[in-house]
Amino acid sequence: MTTRIYKATKTRSNRPGWSVTFNHPRRSDARGKFGLKVRRGLGTTDDAEADRLVEQLNALLADESWWSLDRRADAALQFDSIVVAAFFDGIEVGKIKPKDRRESVIQLPTQKDGYAGVMLAGATGAGKTTLLRQLIGSDHVQDRFPSTSTAKTTTAEIEIILASGPFRAAVTFMTEHEVRCAVDECLEDACFGVIRGDDDAAVAGKLLEHREQRFRLSYVLGDWQQSQPGQNAVPDMDFMFEGEVPETETLADDEIVGGTELESNNESLGDYVGRIKGLAAAVREEIATYRGDYPAIGDASKANQRQDWQEDFTNALYENEDFASLSLDIMDAIEKRFTLFEEDGIGTFDGISLGWPTLWSCEEKDRDAFLKQMRWFSGNHKQQFGRLLTPLVDGVRVSGPFQPTALELQDDDRKLVLMDGEGLGHSAKEAESVSTKITERFPEADMILLVDDAQSPMQAASLGFLREVGNGGHGPKVAVAFTHFDQVRGDNLSTASQKISYVQASTRNAIASLRESLAPSVAEILETRLNDNAFYLGGLNQATESIPPGFIRQMRDLLERMQQSAVELEEIAAVPHYNFSALALPLRDAADGFKTPWRGRIGLSYYEGVRKEHWGRVKALCRRIANRWDNDEYDGLRPKSDLIRQLQTSISLWLDSPDGWARQPEDEQERQTVINGIRRQVYVDIHRLAERRLVVTHLNDWQTALFAFRGTGSSYLRAELISQIYDSAAPSISSVMDASGQDFLDQVIQIVRDAVEKASGSVDRDSHESVIVA
């Protein structure tokens, strides 16, 4: 086997001065293969100095003893800092949580500080971010923070701390590797668009908006054929109602991307599209030499041939030098946006001197100046396309004297942490499992506020969310805010009371539909909480002074209830008793309930109600897990979340029926307080178990699934390996199970046992040994 030789070369790029380009021996590309092509600026225009730095980098590349992050300190003593940064940045050692970076700048206060943590969740478009704006007094025209839209807008975690003092911010970013992979996927889609016959606008559309709709390059690079400010600003009146007035543009001149900057962005995008067309044509010709041309779309009999052709085309793309060069040029353009902001804005970037920032922080007394800066990190205004950093952000934490606009809603003593995040999604497929990025935050919240649309309440996404909250033991934290209540209309709904009754009936029916997957007591808790802690809101997209007084009173009640939610639970002496031999059968159903639908998704068997996923989506999921992205799921494909859901549902139902009580609870509320405490602890530990068994233990297998299979039959081989990963992570439980199955069963039971004993419960002494299924 030939050993690959890694060598750095001096190059010119869009960066000022000289750059260095090399294939990195310890950084992987979007397929998980080592040898990612990297380009870094050398910070010099001098030829001799550039040659000296390249020579140092080649010394690092030539000696494998340097290829480990623990040698960075030694390298710093021997090589220039810019060379050390070029080589060692991006060599990951585990996942660094962005939340920990934000915490280092602004600590998130808790109950001990007198604060109540409120988590807002709801389907995309339900209005949770619009409600958040009202609660912090952010004008939807003047302030525009956080951003809203009818499409997916909030893709980063947003944490807003109501506190005295100056306004402060800590913004964290996706890693360079995650952004590079997303750029490569956009390029891949754009190139295939050329093969499918797309025109230039459609090709640009695929480049500028990722298929998952979470990463939008148009925000950063500019939109295709973007117009100058003032051009095409008048809306088409044929699509406006009589008397409707178009919203007045309010952006200040220094917030608008225009002039030569916009022209430069348009020119760059035109160049990218031209290069994509040339690249796609060249790779198409290369593939045609041994596989023939791309089979016609209309010929259904050639579906498998099209799949094999497309996978060969994708592999050839990633191995093409022009593809890597185009990807690097786009990454250079993205990095330039950070530099522009650093030159013109307030605040400080961490890590930007070494190539890619990890955090931006600032402190500012003036509210308007502060929000102006924040809009570049969270905005979505069309006239700012080309400089927005929004798609690169994974978390925003701000602190300051935020208050609602209405005097009757203001309270200087109010202490709240308001947490917003990505919407739950609309379809039943997306709602089947709730993202772990959401469920991992349940323990941090004192109130979990479901924001739902009163016009069509309690659809699939909301139901899936409530199921997760209830089975996780967090049902007593639930409240609901029904938005768009002013739009609830009908011949049978003439009064506010009738409208409230309509919404409440929908809520009761929704909870009834969940009873199969919820313990009876959990369903009762949710129904009671949703009835007693429901708030009806309307006109939230209007200025506060335009909102009817009834909705203002509802917001006031909501704010008061939020503050009251910061109540530390009292310890209860009631002690449940469990015999764990009865837990094995529910866990067997959970393991099978996780694996069986997934065999249908990856095409290994038929499962009613489950559609086979496109091989490209399955491969995109592998990419995120194999590369240890913080977001280890893809567009509704959430294996870790699915495993957690199945295990937690079975355990929650089982916990609801103890064998007995060493000390009987005084009432049903005390009984549920004890059992929910156990559920919450189990939920935390089951998340860790799923991460360990499904991801960490099988990281090499996920990497193999990502890039080891190619050509005819590769999608089937990938599916087989994924199925083996799932079988190993959650082995079948039976009387004839092997040692791995017994180990899995023991690990889950140990989690439940520890949670019971932590809550001062007791277990049957005989159940301390391994449980065997009869």
Side-chain angles (χ1 to χ4, degrees):
M1 184 176 182
T2 304
T3 302
R4 183 172 184 177
I5 298 175
Y6 294 93
K7 188 171 180 60
T9 57
K10 184 178 68 175
T11 60
R12 288 284 191 185
S13 68
N14 293 326
R15 302 171 185 264
W18 286 105
S19 296
V20 62
T21 302
F22 63 100
N23 294 95
H24 202 297
R26 283 296 177 265
R27 292 185 64 184
S28 58
D29 61 18
R31 299 166 299 159
K33 295 185 72 172
F34 285 128
L36 176 71
K37 190 172 185 177
V38 176
R39 182 192 294 155
R40 298 295 293 266
L42 291 174
T44 182
T45 59
D46 182 80
D47 287 10
E49 175 64 7
D51 288 336
R52 187 182 70 83
L53 294 173
V54 170
E55 185 179 348
Q56 287 190 11
L57 186 53
N58 277 321
L60 280 171
L61 292 169
D63 186 352
E64 290 190 34
S65 67
W66 290 112
W67 297 358
S68 175
L69 192 60
D70 58 12
R71 295 296 311 278
R72 182 167 189 154
D74 297 331
L77 300 175
Q78 187 170 336
F79 303 102
D80 279 64
S81 60
I82 200 163
V83 171
V84 173
F87 184 82
F88 288 97
D89 286 356
I91 302 179
E92 301 292 338
V93 180
K95 293 168 67 174
I96 301 174
K97 290 289 186 182
K99 181 182 173 183
D100 294 338
R101 291 196 180 102
R102 299 194 294 273
E103 190 75 10
S104 67
V105 178
I106 304 174
Q107 290 189 338
L108 205 65
T110 65
Q111 276 188 10
K112 295 179 180 178
D113 306 301
Y115 274 80
V118 180
M119 176 182 179
L120 286 75
T124 301
K128 59 184 175 61
T129 307
T130 305
L131 171 59
L132 179 60
R133 281 183 174 185
Q134 290 286 350
L135 299 180
I136 66 172
S138 176
D139 186 89
H140 75 288
V141 175
Q142 300 296 329
D143 297 329
R144 304 191 321 278
F145 172 79
S147 294
T148 61
S149 171
T150 54
K152 288 182 180 179
T153 305
T154 307
T155 58
E157 292 183 345
I158 297 177
E159 303 156 327
I160 300 178
I161 304 167
L162 278 54
S164 59
F167 292 93
R168 303 169 62 209
V171 177
T172 49
F173 303 99
M174 296 169 61
T175 65
E176 181 184 8
H177 186 260
E178 287 176 301
V179 174
R180 175 75 179 274
C181 286
V183 167
D184 286 353
E185 288 177 338
C186 289
L187 282 172
E188 176 189 334
D189 286 350
C191 287
F192 193 68
V194 174
I195 302 302
R196 297 284 294 267
D198 289 350
D199 60 19
D200 287 1
V203 171
K206 288 182 170 63
L207 170 67
L208 295 174
E209 181 161 331
H210 191 274
R211 66 189 83 144
E212 201 181 6
Q213 293 187 313
R214 299 184 74 254
F215 183 80
R216 294 180 171 96
L217 273 174
S218 57
Y219 286 27
V220 189
L221 304 180
D223 208 357
W224 177 248
Q225 299 298 323
Q226 191 170 349
S227 62
Q228 291 280 2
Q231 294 179 331
N232 304 320
V234 179
D236 187 344
M237 302 304 291
D238 290 342
F239 293 90
M240 295 185 67
F241 292 99
E242 184 177 352
E244 185 177 355
V245 179
E247 191 171 284
T248 304
E249 190 56 71
T250 59
L251 290 184
D253 290 343
D254 61 352
E255 291 192 81
I256 293 174
V257 175
T260 57
E261 183 178 357
L262 190 146
E263 292 174 1
S264 176
N265 291 343
N266 284 338
E267 184 179 343
S268 295
L269 289 177
D271 175 63
Y272 295 152
V273 170
R275 292 169 65 182
I276 287 169
K277 291 165 66 176
L279 171 62
V283 174
R284 178 178 193 155
E285 185 176 343
E286 175 188 338
I287 300 302
T289 59
Y290 63 89
R291 185 175 281 283
D293 203 2
Y294 183 62
I297 294 293
D299 191 343
S301 66
K302 295 184 178 180
N304 289 334
Q305 292 180 31
R306 285 196 296 275
Q307 175 177 313
D308 293 340
W309 194 98
Q310 185 175 349
E311 188 153 11
D312 277 354
F313 178 81
T314 299
N315 288 328
L317 269 181
Y318 280 98
E319 292 168 2
N320 189 289
E321 284 294 316
D322 291 338
F323 180 90
S325 294
L326 180 52
S327 177
L328 286 171
D329 286 345
I330 293 175
M331 290 297 294
D332 281 351
I334 292 172
E335 288 186 43
K336 183 180 178 181
R337 271 53 177 186
F338 288 117
T339 306
L340 288 173
F341 187 88
E342 187 181 36
E343 293 172 352
D344 299 336
I346 62 174
T348 304
F349 282 101
D350 285 354
I352 196 168
S353 62
L354 301 177
W356 190 264
T358 57
L359 178 139
W360 174 84
S361 59
C362 85
E363 183 173 309
E364 173 62 48
K365 292 181 180 180
D366 184 78
R367 181 180 184 275
D368 291 340
F370 177 78
L371 292 181
K372 177 182 176 181
Q373 301 305 310
M374 293 308 303
R375 286 193 285 272
W376 293 111
F377 297 102
S378 66
N380 63 350
H381 200 286
K382 183 82 170 180
Q383 288 187 309
Q384 293 184 301
F385 280 18
R387 211 190 301 169
L388 289 170
L389 302 176
T390 307
L392 313 175
V393 172
D394 70 9
V396 175
R397 180 175 297 179
V398 298
S399 172
F402 295 99
Q403 288 278 7
T405 303
L407 290 176
E408 58 265 50
L409 297 179
Q410 295 180 4
D411 184 351
D412 292 335
D413 296 326
R414 185 175 292 133
K415 294 184 176 182
L416 297 176
V417 176
L418 303 173
M419 298 174 283
D420 191 12
E422 189 171 353
L424 299 173
H426 287 295
S427 69
K429 181 183 74 173
E430 287 182 285
E432 188 175 347
S433 292
V434 180
S435 171
T436 54
K437 290 178 73 68
I438 295 174
T439 60
E440 286 174 348
R441 304 212 70 168
F442 287 172
E444 301 173 14
D446 300 298
M447 174 187 282
I448 298 175
L449 181 66
L450 173 62
V451 181
D452 205 19
D453 190 340
Q455 298 175 94
S456 52
M458 296 299 165
Q459 298 300 305
S462 296
L463 291 180
F465 179 76
L466 289 174
R467 181 193 60 228
E468 288 293 306
V469 172
N471 283 329
H474 297 279
K477 301 179 180 179
V478 169
V480 60
F482 290 106
T483 57
H484 306 110
F485 190 73
D486 53 319
Q487 300 299 315
V488 176
R489 299 189 177 103
D491 293 340
N492 60 329
L493 302 173
S494 59
T495 68
S497 296
Q498 289 172 338
K499 295 177 182 180
I500 290 174
S501 296
Y502 156 74
V503 175
Q504 288 178 338
S506 299
T507 301
R508 288 192 296 272
N509 291 337
I511 297 301
S513 71
L514 289 176
R515 289 186 181 274
E516 288 187 6
S517 56
L518 293 174
S521 60
V522 174
E524 292 293 334
I525 289 172
L526 289 177
E527 187 169 351
T528 300
R529 292 288 303 181
L530 294 176
N531 184 67
D532 296 344
N533 294 272
F535 304 90
Y536 304 91
L537 306 171
L540 296 179
N541 62 333
Q542 304 294 320
T544 306
E545 58 267 22
S546 302
I547 298 177
F551 293 137
I552 294 294
R553 288 195 297 271
Q554 288 286 301
M555 269 196 280
R556 182 191 61 204
D557 293 344
L558 173 58
L559 284 164
E560 290 177 355
R561 201 69 58 87
M562 286 178 173
Q563 188 67 70
Q564 294 166 2
S565 67
V567 178
E568 192 169 351
L569 298 175
E570 297 181 4
E571 291 189 11
I572 297 175
V575 179
H577 175 79
Y578 292 96
N579 185 330
F580 282 83
S581 62
L583 181 55
L585 293 179
L587 293 181
R588 178 195 65 186
D589 295 340
D592 294 343
F594 162 65
K595 292 181 294 186
T596 305
W598 264 101
R599 286 185 62 83
R601 287 189 189 98
I602 56 182
L604 294 182
S605 63
Y606 171 77
Y607 187 78
E608 186 175 358
V610 172
R611 185 188 67 180
K612 179 185 176 182
E613 295 289 346
H614 186 273
W615 68 268
R617 287 167 50 81
V618 175
K619 196 169 183 178
L621 171 68
C622 294
R623 181 173 299 136
R624 280 146 181 78
I625 299 177
N627 290 325
R628 300 296 282 128
W629 289 26
D630 191 51
N631 181 36
D632 52 9
E633 52 196 40
Y634 180 77
D635 195 26
L637 298 180
R638 300 167 176 154
K640 191 167 69 173
S641 178
D642 290 338
L643 179 56
I644 291 168
R645 172 172 54 87
Q646 291 289 346
L647 290 173
Q648 187 69 24
T649 297
S650 294
I651 294 168
S652 176
L653 288 166
W654 178 81
L655 284 171
D656 206 48
S657 302
D659 280 7
W661 294 81
R663 199 279 280 168
Q664 286 288 335
E666 294 181 359
D667 52 31
E668 180 62 20
Q669 181 176 351
E670 189 174 272
R671 176 183 184 277
Q672 282 308 311
T673 298
V674 174
I675 295 177
N676 275 324
I678 299 172
R679 287 189 177 105
R680 288 193 295 272
Q681 183 60 52
V682 169
Y683 202 43
V684 170
D685 293 338
I686 286 295
H687 275 73
R688 294 171 182 154
L689 177 80
E691 168 78 10
R692 184 175 69 252
R693 293 192 64 94
L694 198 56
V695 177
V696 177
T697 302
H698 292 285
L699 196 56
N700 289 335
D701 295 326
W702 285 110
Q703 292 169 349
T704 299
L706 175 61
F707 66 84
F709 306 118
R710 57 191 304 172
T712 303
S714 59
S715 59
Y716 175 80
L717 295 173
R718 183 177 298 110
E720 282 281 4
L721 179 54
I722 292 173
S723 180
Q724 291 170 21
I725 293 171
Y726 293 166
D727 284 337
S728 175
S732 296
I733 297 172
S734 69
S735 58
V736 293
M737 61 185 169
D738 58 17
S740 65
Q742 186 66 61
D743 180 61
F744 168 65
L745 179 60
D746 290 345
Q747 286 182 28
V748 178
I749 286 179
Q750 187 62 51
I751 284 174
V752 183
R753 178 183 291 122
D754 290 345
V756 171
E757 293 181 336
K758 188 173 182 178
S760 300
S762 61
V763 298
D764 190 300
R765 291 183 179 180
D766 293 337
S767 67
H768 279 272
E769 300 302 324
S770 293
V771 176
I772 306 296
V773 181

